[in-house]
Amino acid sequence: MTKKIGISLPDETYAWVQAKIEQGSAESVSGLIAQSLDRDRKREELRELLEEWSVEVGPPTAEEQTWVNEAVAKAHTAAAKNYGDAASAA
């Protein structure tokens, strides 16, 4: 189910979204906003899960942290290819 709402965007942000649509990176303003919010929600849920795990099993070892850092770097590279430089800064 979806909920229809109205939002206001700064002119610069709206122009960026329109450019993404014209480039084929997004289907619509609503789609891009929903995608961005969903990505933020998933990041927050993952952060909370990692905090819970850290409490239960302790902090990661240096080897585990290196693996995580490499995986995150790969994910940022892939996201930057799909969403542009703004994704890699997130």
Side-chain angles (χ1 to χ4, degrees):
M1 176 182 278
T2 61
K3 199 59 114 170
K4 186 172 182 159
I5 62 170
I7 65 162
S8 298
L9 296 173
D11 290 340
E12 185 178 304
T13 302
Y14 183 76
W16 177 83
V17 171
Q18 286 301 115
K20 290 294 182 185
I21 293 168
E22 290 170 11
Q23 296 168 1
S25 299
E27 291 184 22
S28 66
V29 174
S30 294
L32 186 60
I33 291 169
Q35 193 176 48
S36 295
L37 289 173
D38 192 49
R39 189 171 47 247
D40 286 350
R41 179 186 56 81
K42 288 176 181 177
R43 283 182 181 152
E44 185 176 320
E45 290 172 354
L46 178 58
R47 205 173 291 118
E48 290 171 0
L49 179 62
L50 292 173
E51 287 174 10
E52 287 176 25
W53 282 352
S54 182
V55 168
E56 289 180 23
V57 298
T61 64
E63 182 180 319
E64 291 166 337
Q65 190 61 55
T66 297
W67 180 88
V68 168
N69 292 344
E70 290 171 358
V72 167
K74 288 178 185 177
H76 280 197
T77 299
K81 287 179 184 175
N82 290 327
Y83 303 109
D85 292 340
S88 63

